[in-house]
Amino acid sequence: MEAKAHVKYLRISPRKVKIVADLIRGKSVAQATAILMTTPKAASEPLLKLLKSATANAENNHNMDPESLYVSEVFATPGPIIKRIMPRAQGRAYRINKRTSHVTMTVAEKA
């Protein structure tokens, strides 16, 4: 049995989220929480919130034991890009891409 949680339109680049996601994939929930609380990356705070949500979904919706849960799957896919411009010399304009992410996390019970 698995429980999922999603965060959509997260205003962090998926490339930056994947770095933190790779740290917690396959770890127990307690170990993943400890890693996320001590990692000094911007993506660690929303991923910690997502981990707590997935754990709560497992406990409340699927009657799983929260002590035996582990992060079975976590991935970030690109969301829509917010496009802005930066004025440059001689009337030119450079494009600024503000990237967003959709992150999915799955927790499962250890067999």
Side-chain angles (χ1 to χ4, degrees):
M1 183 67 81
E2 311 181 314
K4 286 187 178 184
H6 306 278
V7 62
K8 302 244 178 167
Y9 307 104
L10 181 63
R11 244 309 276 126
I12 301 174
S13 166
R15 184 176 176 177
K16 293 178 181 178
V17 175
K18 286 176 187 179
I19 293 169
V20 181
D22 290 342
L23 294 174
I24 63 169
R25 190 176 292 112
K27 304 278 194 301
S28 69
V29 169
Q31 200 174 6
T33 303
I35 290 168
L36 289 174
M37 289 180 87
T38 57
T39 304
K41 292 280 193 183
S44 61
E45 192 175 327
L47 281 179
L48 179 62
K49 196 171 177 181
L50 187 64
L51 178 63
K52 288 180 180 178
S53 177
T55 307
N57 289 343
E59 190 176 356
N60 295 316
N61 299 343
H62 302 292
N63 297 320
M64 295 179 176
D65 179 29
E67 300 298 318
S68 65
L69 293 175
Y70 75 102
V71 181
S72 62
E73 192 175 43
V74 57
F75 58 90
T77 55
I81 299 171
I82 303 166
K83 295 169 181 90
R84 298 289 180 261
I85 60 159
M86 172 73 77
R88 305 306 291 176
Q90 299 178 1
R92 292 182 178 90
Y94 287 177
R95 181 186 262 177
I96 304 291
N97 289 329
K98 295 182 178 277
R99 298 181 187 275
T100 60
S101 304
H102 299 320
V103 186
T104 302
M105 187 178 292
T106 306
V107 293
E109 277 186 312
K110 285 219 159 100

